[in-house]
Amino acid sequence: MMYILDSQMRFPPVTKATADGLLAIGGDLSVQRLLLAYRSGIFPWYNEGEVIQWWCPDPRFVLYPAELKISKSMRRIMQQQVFTFRFNTAFESVIENCRTVFREGQSGTWIQKEVEEAYIQLHKLGYAVSAEAWRNDKLVGGLYGIRMGNIFFGESMFSNESNASKFAFINYVEQLQKEGVVLIDCQVYTAHLESLGARMISRDLFSAILQNGI
């Protein structure tokens, strides 16, 4: 059974998701609905021309900040100060780059204009944030996501120079750890984030952490 959202601000129980994590379709990207989704461990993810799709996969791909792995090569890059780290100074440029930068092996991006506009609104309200890598005062990499309580929900990252997004990510994870963040939601598996220490946990455990962390 596929759940179709209407104007009411509610989602079905996350245990009703399909085997691949699809929970519901429809609804909108209003601030109220997006915040309810994140509090519930649900995120939107769909392609251009498709109806909005809401996901809550099991298992869930996450990073505990204390488990961050930094390779020797990345440590050298950070020591050499190739890039400069900035936080939340160019959110709109970061999400625009996440939407438009070419990714090898991908024909497009899930970040459409309506998605971009919705997260810019969340940024203006203090929920969506960006972590940025700069070089010679030029934005060359970064990521954005949602910060709620002691949880950070990562959404997307981009890199216009080798290792730029990784630099921004590492710096931001270290900042989040100092701020008491207990979990970074990476949503679905990528080898890139696995190399940085992300791993799978059960949806039940993820939901329990959310209840205590938001």
Side-chain angles (χ1 to χ4, degrees):
M1 177 180 177
M2 178 53 59
Y3 289 85
I4 301 175
L5 302 182
D6 53 26
S7 60
Q8 294 185 336
M9 290 297 159
R10 64 182 181 185
F11 287 95
V14 297
T15 54
K16 300 296 185 180
T18 62
D20 60 357
L22 180 59
L23 178 65
I25 62 174
D28 54 40
L29 297 178
S30 65
V31 167
Q32 185 180 1
R33 193 183 298 275
L34 283 168
L35 293 180
L36 175 60
Y38 282 102
R39 290 191 183 99
S40 306
I42 301 163
F43 59 89
W45 187 28
Y46 61 104
N47 294 315
E48 188 171 3
E50 295 179 342
V51 66
I52 300 172
Q53 299 172 25
W54 302 90
W55 300 78
C56 188
D58 186 17
R60 189 75 165 229
F61 198 49
V62 303
L63 173 69
Y64 291 91
E67 296 180 1
L68 175 67
K69 296 179 181 177
I70 308 175
S71 67
K72 291 181 180 179
S73 61
M74 275 306 301
R75 288 191 185 278
R76 284 195 296 270
I77 289 171
M78 297 180 76
Q79 291 168 356
Q80 292 167 358
Q81 298 181 334
V82 175
F83 306 109
T84 300
F85 175 71
R86 298 180 189 174
F87 170 70
N88 230 17
T89 68
F91 181 87
E92 293 190 21
S93 295
V94 169
I95 193 170
E96 182 182 9
N97 275 277
C98 287
R99 180 173 62 85
T100 59
V101 167
F102 171 77
R103 291 171 174 81
E104 189 172 352
Q106 296 184 17
S107 59
T109 174
W110 73 276
I111 306 171
Q112 300 138 59
K113 283 300 292 184
E114 65 174 346
V115 173
E116 184 176 2
E117 291 167 1
Y119 284 81
I120 288 173
Q121 184 63 26
L122 286 174
H123 171 67
K124 291 177 179 178
L125 294 172
Y127 293 101
V129 298
S130 61
E132 307 143 15
W134 293 76
R135 187 170 188 179
N136 299 326
D137 287 326
K138 180 181 179 181
L139 179 66
V140 293
L143 63 114
Y144 77 95
I146 305 296
R147 171 76 185 273
M148 299 182 75
N150 289 328
I151 309 293
F152 177 70
F153 302 88
E155 279 299 322
S156 186
M157 60 176 61
F158 82 97
S159 189
N160 285 326
E161 291 191 19
S162 180
N163 295 310
S165 63
K166 190 178 291 187
F167 171 87
F169 182 80
I170 290 170
N171 275 275
Y172 190 45
V173 172
E174 291 178 337
Q175 176 178 316
L176 289 175
Q177 186 173 11
K178 292 175 183 176
E179 294 174 358
V181 164
V182 297
L183 195 71
I184 296 168
D185 177 29
C186 304
Q187 298 179 345
V188 295
Y189 173 85
T190 68
H192 173 68
L193 290 175
E194 184 180 44
S195 71
L196 289 165
R199 60 184 171 95
M200 294 291 189
I201 63 172
S202 70
R203 183 169 57 210
D204 287 346
L205 176 56
F206 180 74
S207 296
I209 294 172
L210 289 192
Q211 290 179 3
N212 293 321
I214 295 179

